Amino acid sequence: ESLLSERKRVKKLMKQCKPHSTMYNVHNGTQLALKVSCNSIYGFTGASRGILPCKEIASSVTKYGRGLTLKTKSIIENHPEWGREKHGCECIYGDTDSVFIHMPKTLVSGTTDAERIENAHKMGEVMADYVTKAFLPPVFLEYEKTYLPYLLLKKKRYSGMKFEPGLPPKLHIKGLESVRRDYAPLLV
């Protein structure tokens, strides 16, 4: 819990810095180190030998994480205001610690892509806060980014133009390193 709360604190500091400045990079490195530390604790339990081998704990963490992903999907898709029936919000991808939601233009209206992206950021925060209330601490859902456009090929393989609040847009290619190397000029 202390690692998670420290990571959250450092990520807030990061948002106060100019993107890619020295302090931004220091805070980013710190929050990534905290993330690795959290993941390592889980990893210790999944090892067959080591300092904390316990397959039951590893299985429990995996099952609980999957349950949180499914609960998030259900809460979003069945919400009376933005769910499937009213606006058509749909969970299009969920894996380990992330959920990607398709937000129709009717929910994030605007006359330009920039306005729709800004509205998507705001709606993502609203959704994250709403879903977090359904979880027991220290579990929380955090909105991170919007993709426009977004291409999902399969699990852990997707690409799109990534828009994070306060940062310049960036082409993000996940799990497609050979595509990035060979075809990146065509994707831009």
Side-chain angles (χ1 to χ4, degrees):
E1 192 172 337
S2 63
L3 290 172
L4 290 173
S5 61
E6 179 63 10
R7 181 171 184 237
K8 192 173 185 178
R9 186 188 73 78
V10 171
K11 287 180 86 173
K12 284 182 182 176
L13 290 173
M14 198 171 119
K15 289 181 179 182
Q16 296 171 4
C17 298
K18 182 179 176 191
H20 309 295
S21 67
T22 300
M23 284 315 296
Y24 177 93
N25 291 337
V26 167
H27 292 316
N28 190 37
T30 302
Q31 70 88 13
L32 288 172
L34 290 163
K35 179 181 179 180
V36 168
S37 297
C38 291
N39 290 341
S40 295
I41 293 168
Y42 159 72
F44 289 151
T45 65
S48 54
R49 292 191 317 216
I51 62 173
L52 191 62
C54 186
K55 296 284 185 186
E56 294 82 4
I57 292 175
S59 295
S60 175
V61 168
T62 303
K63 184 176 180 181
Y64 190 74
R66 180 70 179 145
L68 291 172
T69 300
L70 293 173
K71 186 173 183 175
T72 299
K73 176 182 180 356
S74 177
I75 290 169
I76 295 294
E77 291 182 351
N78 295 308
H79 190 275
E81 288 300 312
W82 61 67
R84 276 189 175 179
E85 287 189 26
K86 188 160 185 179
H87 280 285
C89 266
E90 182 180 5
C91 176
I92 57 172
Y93 177 74
D95 181 53
T96 313
D97 64 352
S98 61
V99 177
F100 286 41
I101 306 297
H102 173 257
M103 291 187 206
K105 288 181 181 178
T106 57
L107 187 62
V108 291
S109 61
T111 56
T112 65
D113 283 346
E115 286 178 7
R116 285 188 287 278
I117 289 164
E118 184 59 34
N119 290 335
H121 291 329
K122 290 174 185 171
M123 193 67 216
E125 293 286 351
V126 168
M127 289 178 172
D129 290 344
Y130 183 82
V131 173
T132 293
K133 291 175 185 167
F135 296 153
L136 295 173
V139 177
F140 63 93
L141 185 67
E142 178 182 24
Y143 167 77
E144 290 183 358
K145 57 195 162 235
T146 293
Y147 286 95
L148 183 68
Y150 178 71
L151 171 65
L152 174 63
L153 296 176
K154 60 183 183 177
K155 184 178 178 178
K156 297 189 186 286
R157 296 183 186 271
Y158 55 86
S159 179
M161 208 56 180
K162 178 171 68 171
F163 296 86
E164 295 176 279
L167 294 176
K170 178 181 177 184
L171 178 63
H172 182 224
I173 301 173
K174 171 76 172 175
L176 304 167
E177 283 71 23
S178 63
V179 171
R180 181 183 319 158
R181 191 175 47 250
D182 298 335
Y183 300 103
L186 301 175
L187 295 171
V188 176

